[in-house]
């Protein structure tokens, strides 16, 4: 799962090895490279386990520097939209308690999102949410 796949220590490639560094050093390295390379040569790649809001933040960051090259490491390779309303549902997490129905596909919030699961359970028990 995500617990074993998360990057907890940044790595910088030195020669043919990846070396663990502090986050401040990794971010300084990225900033240095970003200033040296023309933005039309940048490429942002988002992995298939990345959620949409982080992808949009990455796309917005690159766009703010004039970079337009964005790819997603999954099919279809459709980059996220610029408008938040195109990928956000019509409810907030707190708004789940006011929803009439909830469709969960390929997820188990009990194991993957405890705080979300608490809202869902509350809505189911107290308000009769259709799941």
């Amino acid at each position: 799962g995500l617990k074993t796949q998360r990057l907890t220590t940044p790595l910088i490639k030195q020669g043919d090895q990846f070396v663990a560094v502090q986050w401040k050093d990794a971010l300084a390295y990225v900033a240095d490279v970003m200033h040296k390379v023309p933005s039309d040569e940048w490429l942002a790649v988002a992995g298939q386990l990345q959620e949409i809001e982080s992808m949009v933040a990455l796309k917005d960051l690159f766009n703010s520097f004039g970079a337009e090259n964005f790819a997603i490491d999954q099919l279809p390779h459709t980059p996220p939209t610029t408008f938040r309303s195109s990928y956000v549902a019509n409810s907030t997490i707190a708004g789940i308690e006011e929803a009439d129905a909830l469709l969960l596909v390929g997820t188990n919030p009990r194991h993957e999102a405890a705080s979300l699961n608490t809202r869902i359970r509350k809505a189911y028990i107290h308000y009769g949410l259709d799941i």
Side-chain angles (χ1 to χ4, degrees):
L2 289 177
K3 198 174 223 179
T4 59
Q5 296 176 13
R6 262 210 215 268
L7 178 65
T8 56
T9 303
L11 305 170
I12 293 179
K13 191 170 185 180
Q14 293 179 349
D16 60 347
Q17 298 287 326
F18 285 98
V19 178
V21 297
Q22 297 294 317
W23 279 105
K24 65 181 179 116
D25 298 327
L27 294 172
Y29 175 81
V30 170
D32 184 50
V33 170
M34 288 176 77
H35 285 96
K36 289 180 180 176
V37 176
S39 63
D40 62 340
E41 295 180 18
W42 296 2
L43 173 62
V45 179
Q48 61 183 353
L49 299 177
Q50 191 59 49
E51 87 284 347
I52 191 72
E53 289 192 345
S54 292
M55 285 192 271
V56 170
L58 177 62
K59 182 178 182 293
D60 289 347
L61 172 67
F62 270 54
N63 289 161
S64 72
F65 286 96
E68 297 292 331
N69 298 323
F70 191 90
I72 299 175
D73 187 25
Q74 70 182 20
L75 293 174
H77 297 290
T78 308
T81 180
T82 302
F83 301 106
R84 188 172 191 268
S85 62
S86 298
Y87 64 86
V88 173
N90 61 353
S91 180
T92 63
I93 290 176
I96 287 174
E97 296 172 20
E98 300 169 7
D100 298 321
L102 177 65
L103 175 64
L104 301 170
V105 179
T107 186
N108 185 345
R110 182 175 177 204
H111 298 289
E112 298 167 0
S115 60
L116 178 63
N117 186 62
T118 302
R119 296 276 187 171
I120 295 169
R121 183 169 167 72
K122 179 180 176 184
Y124 175 78
I125 291 171
H126 296 289
Y127 307 113
L129 176 64
D130 253 348
I131 302 174

